[in-house]
Amino acid sequence: MSDDTPTDEADSADDGATESERIERIAVVGAGTMGHGIAAALAGDGRSVTVYDVDEDALNAAREAIEDAVATLVEHEGHDLEDAARVLGSIAYDSTLSTAVADADLVIEAVPEDESIKRDVLGRIERAAPPHAVIATNTSSFSITRLADTLDRPDRFLGTHWFHPPHIVPVVEIVRGEATADGPVRAVETLLEDAGKTPVVVEKDVPGFIGNRIQSAMAREAWALLEEGVASAEDIDKAVKGTFGFRLPALGVFEKGDHSGLDIHAKVLDELLGEINRDTSPSAALTDLVENGRYGVKTGRGVYDWSEVDVPAATEDRDRQLLSLLSVYEERERPAPRTGSADHPADDPTAPDDPDETPDDR
């Protein structure tokens, strides 16, 4: 693959960058849905970001999307237009890979989720980037260890798994491969914290990491419920958004379990796990839509009909709603209580004497 391969989207042997080293120059390879949002999230505060794509139209679209994203963030955070101009001024656009990554401290690959494309692009990035650069992939599912076998410096390689839309969703997973050194992990962790993100370090390289494994389990059951006619798509979405989804920013999974009572939680799982869908392939309800070209917003129809919707306005509205939730997340973000051991559980003076009085696991 040449230096002009379209990328639509989405000291070498040492321990690497020290924990205190600041990543100042960032290159994002791929100007698509994820790439431009990552650039918007990381620009500013003294950092410079270069967005690369061979497709000039993709770069122009990314520039417009970044301007909209930065304007939304500035408005939410109460800054002024000079702040937006400063952030936008720190972002450059380049259609030549070798110049885009030439002086980068960190290169984030955000090309399409195709392993052969990623392997080729990662190899070209390593050859063009400085030896000290940390190289990260934004893969959602591929093994970091397997992708690293493309590289001469696997100790400088890791995953940074961002969630859509990346300029708003607070958590970014940092995924270690088997050869990833501590220095690059610490440097990227510091960068993300400085950018206002919440880094989560995935210590074991498992497919899908943390968020996508849990999200995929939920999606499998939701599609099964739709296919079986248990409820409409609208009502399934309402149930998710208005029940456990409503609680997740404040409690997560395990903290919620502690509040409800793990005894009840275990009983509910024992009752339901045998009933929950176990398919190892996507639901026919999903594959039928895909086979008919109904991909969602980008094709005008998916589960819902978007053909008459003002998509830019809907996207702006989505971002404003997510930003309001982000405010709640930031307000509620606090360390969970110390985890106890099974032999010495923490005493809880508020715990009910009668287990039957424990709140149920709804």
Side-chain angles (χ1 to χ4, degrees):
M1 202 176 281
S2 72
D3 187 57
D4 293 332
T5 301
T7 53
D8 180 19
E9 213 12 49
D11 273 290
S12 57
D14 296 332
D15 185 45
T18 63
E19 185 173 353
S20 61
E21 183 178 345
R22 177 179 169 86
I23 292 173
E24 296 184 344
R25 295 173 298 279
I26 302 161
V28 178
V29 175
T33 302
M34 296 301 292
H36 72 255
I38 293 170
L42 292 177
D45 293 331
R47 293 178 295 270
S48 63
V49 178
T50 298
V51 181
Y52 162 80
D53 203 295
V54 65
D55 187 339
E56 291 285 355
D57 289 339
L59 285 177
N60 290 332
R63 183 181 284 105
E64 293 180 7
I66 288 172
E67 289 173 356
D68 291 342
V70 169
T72 301
L73 290 173
V74 166
E75 180 180 342
H76 169 73
E77 296 173 0
H79 301 306
D80 55 33
L81 292 177
E82 291 183 0
D83 294 302
R86 175 177 53 79
V87 173
L88 293 173
S90 69
I91 303 175
Y93 302 86
D94 201 322
S95 59
T96 303
L97 181 63
S98 58
T99 58
V101 307
D103 64 350
D105 302 314
L106 169 67
V107 183
I108 300 175
E109 167 270 304
V111 303
E113 194 74 353
D114 180 299
E115 187 168 355
S116 63
I117 294 176
K118 285 185 179 291
R119 284 175 170 275
D120 181 85
V121 171
L122 288 168
R124 292 194 290 120
I125 288 171
E126 186 182 53
R127 291 190 293 273
H132 78 275
V134 178
I135 300 175
T137 176
N138 186 50
T139 181
S140 299
S141 57
F142 297 136
S143 165
I144 304 304
T145 300
R146 192 169 69 236
L147 288 175
D149 67 25
T150 306
L151 306 175
D152 294 328
R153 299 187 293 274
D155 57 305
R156 311 289 302 163
F157 180 64
L158 48 77
T160 51
H161 180 216
W162 298 70
F163 292 81
H164 183 71
H167 60 291
I168 296 177
V169 177
V171 166
V172 181
E173 296 175 332
I174 302 173
V175 189
R176 290 179 179 270
E178 290 180 2
T180 305
D182 289 340
V185 173
R186 300 299 168 234
V188 172
E189 195 172 14
T190 299
L191 167 70
L192 292 171
E193 289 171 346
D194 289 346
K197 295 298 183 180
T198 305
V200 170
V201 179
V202 182
E203 299 288 354
K204 186 175 182 180
D205 181 18
V206 295
F209 321 127
I210 300 170
N212 271 0
R213 287 177 78 97
I214 297 172
Q215 183 173 239
S216 294
M218 178 192 70
R220 178 174 63 183
E221 186 63 25
W223 283 101
L225 292 171
L226 181 65
E227 185 175 347
E228 293 167 11
V230 172
S232 67
E234 293 86 348
D235 281 347
I236 292 171
D237 273 350
K238 287 178 185 177
V240 170
K241 290 187 284 188
T243 59
F244 67 86
F246 176 78
R247 296 185 303 224
L248 285 175
L251 293 175
V253 176
F254 300 118
E255 200 174 345
K256 185 267 168 192
D258 276 358
H259 277 279
S260 295
L262 296 180
D263 52 336
I264 303 300
H265 184 52
K267 289 178 182 177
V268 171
L269 288 179
D270 186 54
E271 183 71 23
L272 287 183
L273 288 180
E275 301 294 328
I276 289 174
N277 186 274
R278 286 181 170 77
D279 289 346
T280 57
S281 298
S283 163
L286 171 58
T287 57
D288 286 350
L289 291 174
V290 172
E291 289 172 1
N292 285 296
R294 293 176 55 171
Y295 298 164
V297 173
K298 60 186 175 183
T299 60
R301 294 188 72 192
V303 175
Y304 299 105
D305 185 351
W306 298 90
S307 59
E308 302 298 323
V309 174
D310 182 340
V311 172
T315 301
E316 182 177 350
D317 183 59
R318 176 208 67 186
D319 285 357
R320 293 184 191 283
Q321 291 183 48
L322 289 174
L323 284 167
S324 69
L325 294 175
L326 179 60
S327 297
V328 175
Y329 170 84
E330 291 171 342
E331 180 183 347
R332 294 292 244 164
E333 187 183 7
R334 75 258 190 262
R338 177 178 55 84
T339 54
S341 69
D343 294 331
H344 302 284
D347 291 333
D348 181 4
T350 66
D353 294 330
D354 182 352
D356 291 337
E357 294 179 7
T358 305
D360 67 18
D361 200 44
R362 293 174 191 161

